[in-house]
């Protein structure tokens, strides 16, 4: 059994302009100790997906369907109190894009880390303080004994992100959800933070869901990848397989738009057009308005996720029987 099993998750926002189908039937799994990348353009529904897992979607948003099984328990059935007390920040923790908004400017970083440790464990105040120093050391902050008593503004952007990661680690979570944690950082610092995620995984055996719009980042940290487009997972595979053998036309376009280290920048080939609104998404395949190989049926048939290789599925009707491609079967685990 996987650590996290998300099945047919739907999260809608009931706005005055209509129902935003932000997440519309998303399924994926994360095994213990592995990193799953959740990738897609802005507005694909990545953040709403991960917030839905932990009951963090606020009105007018609502999880309207699906299940989120974590370690054998359905989180969609848990009360807010249970989630706060037993899940968030202890079993599962979050690292967000902007460390400044997640840190409280009036408390020292040591205080903030120790507070979480005290809330979730039996540690005394002084044990929690020592644990804070240990954690700062673990995430590569030099002189942790001095730094522990400093305030967030005394840290650089990259160091603040390390503090957030230390906070996320403070209760030995089984799963860390990182939503674009390096987007606000410059490239060198980004690379260091990505290395840090690798080290953490090796040391703590934590599973990670890593949200990003950047497939280059994914290659650094992820074992498997789920590609999202307009509220749906359109392709899922181990990273190497996805990179070498992308099947969905959207993934193929995404990969073409990544600057690969072995290629020159002028090969950069951004995807044409923009993602349609999630209020009234295209019928059939949601990618069809931008798909270079769309056929008439794409407007009529909503493509299910079909197995196209080992642990690899893709939601494109070109892989249905009768379209002349290599005999895929309906993907069994995550239904369409
Ligand atoms: N509070 C809200 N009210 C209405 N619609 C919302 C709300 N929050 C998100 N949405 C909509 O849900 C959809 C998915 O948004 P989401 O933030 O998950 O995208 P994302 O993939 O995380 O994008 P980005 O890469 O920009 O962070 C978008 O169409 C967005 O406009
Ligand atoms: S189902 Fe049709 S529109 Fe969608 S990705 Fe496949 S070919 Fe393109
Ligand atoms: Mg987001």
């Amino acid at each position: 059994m996987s650590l996290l099993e998300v099945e047919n998750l739907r999260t809608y926002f009931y706005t005055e302009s209509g129902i935003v189908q932000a997440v519309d039937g998303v399924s994926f799994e994360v095994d213990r100790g592995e990193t799953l990348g959740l990738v897609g353009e802005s507005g694909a529904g990545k953040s709403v997906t991960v917030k839905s897992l932990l009951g963090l979607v606020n009105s007018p948003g609502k999880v309207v369907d699906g299940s989120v099984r974590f370690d054998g328990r359905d989180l969609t059935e848990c009360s807010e109190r249970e989630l706060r007390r037993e899940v968030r920040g202890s079993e599962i923790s979050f690292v967000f894009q902007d460390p400044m908004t997640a840190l409280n400017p009036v408390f020292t970083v040591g205080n903030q880390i120790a507070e979480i440790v005290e809330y979730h464990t039996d540690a005394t105040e002084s044990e929690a303080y020592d644990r804070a120093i240990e954690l700062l050391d673990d995430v590569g902050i030099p002189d942790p004994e001095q730094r522990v008593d400093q305030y967030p503004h005394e840290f650089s952007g990259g160091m603040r992100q390390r503090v957030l990661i230390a906070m996320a680690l403070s209760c030995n979570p089984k799963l860390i959800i990182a939503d674009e944690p390096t987007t606000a950082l410059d490239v060198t610092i980004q690379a260091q933070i990505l290395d840090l995620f690798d080290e953490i995984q090796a040391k703590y055996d934590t599973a990670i869901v890593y949200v990003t719009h950047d497939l280059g980042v994914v290659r650094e940290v992820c074992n498997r990848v789920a590609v999202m487009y307009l509220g749906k997972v359109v392709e899922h595979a181990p990273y190497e397989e996805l990179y070498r053998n992308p099947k969905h036309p959207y993934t193929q376009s995404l990969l073409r738009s990544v600057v690969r280290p072995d290629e020159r920048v002028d090969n950069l080939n951004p995807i044409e057009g923009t993602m349609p609104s999630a209020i009234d998404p295209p019928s059939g395949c949601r990618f069809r308005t931008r798909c270079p190989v769309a056929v008439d049926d794409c407007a009529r048939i909503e493509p299910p996720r079909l197995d196209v290789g080992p642990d690899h599925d893709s939601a494109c009707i070109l892989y249905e029987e009768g379209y002349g491609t290599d005999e895929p079967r309906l993907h069994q685990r995550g239904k369409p």
Side-chain angles (χ1 to χ4, degrees):
M1 192 176 57
S2 298
L3 178 66
L4 176 70
E5 295 174 356
V6 178
E7 217 178 305
N8 199 29
L9 185 69
R10 283 179 215 277
T11 305
Y12 292 175
F13 290 89
Y14 295 84
T15 71
E16 282 178 9
S17 359
I19 300 172
V20 183
Q21 301 172 23
V23 175
D24 202 23
V26 161
S27 303
F28 60 86
E29 293 170 10
V30 185
D31 289 331
R32 282 164 213 278
E34 81 159 346
T35 301
L36 175 80
L38 209 53
V39 189
E41 284 167 287
S42 187
K46 308 179 297 292
S47 296
V48 174
T49 298
V50 293
K51 283 183 190 158
S52 302
L53 304 183
L54 284 182
L56 293 173
V57 174
N58 295 322
S59 174
K62 195 172 175 342
V63 175
V64 293
D65 197 9
S67 64
V68 177
R69 289 203 80 76
F70 176 76
D71 220 7
R73 172 180 195 187
D74 190 345
L75 300 186
T76 59
E77 316 251 287
C78 290
S79 67
E80 171 58 26
R81 188 169 184 280
E82 284 171 321
L83 287 173
R84 204 170 45 220
R85 202 63 228 184
E86 297 161 24
V87 184
R88 276 187 229 134
S90 47
E91 296 276 293
I92 305 179
S93 50
F94 258 105
V95 179
F96 292 104
Q97 179 176 341
D98 178 6
M100 212 45 204
T101 54
L103 289 167
N104 190 328
V106 304
F107 292 105
T108 64
V109 302
N111 253 319
Q112 297 183 58
I113 299 172
E115 193 191 345
I116 307 177
V117 175
E118 281 181 63
Y119 184 81
H120 290 287
T121 69
D122 305 329
T124 63
E125 206 173 308
S126 93
E127 283 165 352
Y129 181 82
D130 290 344
R131 179 85 182 115
I133 295 173
E134 218 176 276
L135 283 159
L136 291 177
D137 192 36
D138 270 355
V139 296
I141 292 182
D143 305 319
E145 286 90 355
Q146 279 80 53
R147 293 298 237 162
V148 72
D149 294 323
Q150 292 183 337
Y151 292 87
H153 73 264
E154 297 176 80
F155 289 73
S156 66
M159 285 294 156
R160 277 201 289 265
Q161 194 53 282
R162 285 177 192 265
V163 171
L164 273 203
I165 296 169
M167 286 167 81
L169 282 173
S170 56
C171 299
N172 290 323
K174 297 191 177 92
L175 173 69
I176 294 180
I177 296 174
D179 191 350
E180 306 261 13
T182 63
T183 307
L185 305 171
D186 77 49
V187 179
T188 320
I189 308 293
Q190 261 193 33
Q192 293 169 1
I193 298 287
L194 294 178
D195 284 345
L196 176 60
F197 273 103
D198 266 347
E199 285 166 30
I200 285 169
Q201 191 136 53
K203 180 165 179 188
Y204 290 92
D205 201 29
T206 316
I208 301 176
V209 174
Y210 199 101
V211 173
T212 178
H213 61 272
D214 185 343
L215 271 170
V217 164
V218 165
R219 102 191 255 148
E220 301 287 324
V221 283
C222 299
N223 309 110
R224 284 190 301 121
V225 186
V227 180
M228 283 190 73
Y229 187 82
L230 204 52
K232 293 194 179 285
V233 172
V234 296
E235 184 157 15
H236 157 265
Y239 180 73
E240 285 300 322
E241 162 77 5
L242 188 88
Y243 190 70
R244 272 198 233 107
N245 198 13
K247 293 288 194 187
H248 196 280
Y250 177 60
T251 315
Q252 292 169 350
S253 314
L254 265 190
L255 279 169
R256 274 198 298 273
S257 72
V258 176
V259 188
R260 302 183 194 202
D262 51 336
E263 284 174 14
R264 301 222 323 267
V265 178
D266 53 24
N267 282 348
L268 192 68
N269 189 358
I271 305 170
E272 275 182 34
T274 50
M275 201 160 59
S277 156
I279 289 187
D280 195 11
S283 64
C285 174
R286 293 188 175 185
F287 186 55
R288 72 177 161 82
T289 53
R290 296 165 76 189
C291 181
V293 292
V295 294
D296 287 349
D297 280 348
C298 300
R300 206 170 47 77
I301 298 168
E302 195 177 306
R305 287 170 64 177
L306 299 164
D307 284 336
V308 291
D311 198 22
H312 185 176
D313 62 85
S314 176
C316 170
I317 61 167
L318 296 184
Y319 301 101
E320 297 251 28
E321 261 172 88
Y323 284 93
T325 48
D326 34 24
E327 300 166 41
R329 282 164 294 111
L330 195 62
H331 178 60
Q332 292 301 318
R333 267 198 333 201
K335 293 183 196 75

